[in-house]
Amino acid sequence: MKIRTFISCIAVVIASVACKSQYELLLNSNDADAKYEAAFAYFNEGKYSKAGSLFESLSVLTNGTERDDTVRYYWGLSNYKFKDYYTAETNFEKFIESYPRSPFTSEARYLRLDCLYRQTLRYELDQSPTYKAMNAISEYILEYPSNPHMQECRDMLVDLNERLDKKAYEAAKLYYKMEDYLASRVAFRNVLKDDSENIYREDILYYIAMSSYKYAHLSVPAKQKERYLTFVDDYYNFIGELPESHYRKELDAVYQKAQKALGRHGVETDDVEMSERDFAKERRRVMREAKKAEKQQK
């Protein structure tokens, strides 16, 4: 029994060595037909690393022939299937430049974009690859509005945009966590200045208001009035845009505290909404008082 087992093991080892040697012989062979057939056999079996190496080697032999675009496309596709997206993107980019009219070009254009998308990083890391991917995808959509991958392209853009929104939001929020409320308010306002449609807009407006309130609350008495008025302005901005927000109850409570600090007692917020005219009137009054307070400080 032991002898049989030993012989079986030897047979497996010999077969493995033979297969490996056969692949290596093919890889170094100048027989284009045999290499072409083997490359597709490996590809169809899901052995993409070996297929990619064979297609790469074969591209030297098929250069300038009618097979060249097929070989170069499948070279890129093998790397793509193997999840080597950096190499695949380079493959597809060169293929598109060399064969703009090939029947494979349309799919190669999309796969290159997908490679760029898959090379992007988490929002905490460098977003240069994200901007590169977004620019390429946007150009593709404009140039090929009827392409069959339109929805996938839009989905990629949405995801990448949301990643940038999150990075900007979290960067500004860091100041709030550090209790640097002046810098926090400025940072959050800059986020909306750069991108008014940031997906975290509601949270950003909330943190702008809370930053101005906490900055006023921690200020020296001589500076508190003008800074509470800044909070009131931020509060009106928030409720004017998002009256039904889940932050409303908390901000209403903070607003009452600010009113007491400003010497205005008995101001009700509850669930009663201002008319647009009353809101505008109150906003103008707050701004006048803020400017007046600023002049008095000077």
Side-chain angles (χ1 to χ4, degrees), residues 213-229:
Y213 173 78
K214 291 186 176 184
Y215 182 56
H217 182 68
L218 296 172
S219 297
V220 296
K223 293 283 187 178
Q224 282 187 324
K225 184 175 182 180
E226 61 176 296
R227 291 172 183 173
Y228 275 125
L229 287 171

Side-chain angles (χ1 to χ4, degrees), residues 46-166:
K47 297 176 181 178
Y48 301 118
S49 179
K50 288 186 175 182
S53 296
L54 281 173
F55 281 123
E56 180 180 6
S57 176
L58 185 59
S59 67
V60 177
L61 302 175
T62 59
N63 186 33
T65 70
E66 60 181 12
R67 283 181 172 179
D68 196 36
D69 65 327
T70 302
V71 168
R72 291 182 182 277
Y73 173 72
Y74 275 92
W75 176 16
L77 190 59
S78 296
N79 286 317
Y80 176 84
K81 295 281 189 179
F82 190 61
K83 299 184 179 179
D84 181 358
Y85 299 117
Y86 179 82
T87 304
E89 190 269 325
T90 303
N91 290 148
F92 289 132
E93 184 176 28
K94 290 180 178 178
F95 174 84
I96 294 163
E97 291 175 0
S98 301
Y99 295 98
R101 298 184 183 279
S102 168
F104 299 112
T105 301
S106 177
E107 190 65 11
R109 289 183 189 278
Y110 168 71
L111 290 174
R112 175 180 174 259
L113 299 180
D114 195 46
C115 288
L116 290 172
Y117 171 72
R118 292 173 186 272
Q119 291 178 69
T120 57
L121 308 173
R122 301 193 313 271
Y123 80 88
E124 309 99 300
L125 304 176
D126 178 35
Q127 293 303 300
S128 297
T130 298
Y131 288 110
K132 181 179 179 180
M134 290 177 68
N135 288 335
I137 294 167
S138 298
E139 288 175 6
Y140 178 74
I141 289 174
L142 288 174
E143 192 171 353
Y144 303 98
S146 300
N147 77 82
H149 297 288
M150 181 62 76
Q151 189 56 52
E152 292 99 316
C153 290
R154 286 173 177 162
D155 290 342
M156 285 190 282
L157 279 180
V158 168
D159 179 61
L160 295 175
N161 268 307
E162 289 180 354
R163 199 175 306 177
L164 294 178
D165 283 357
K166 187 173 180 63

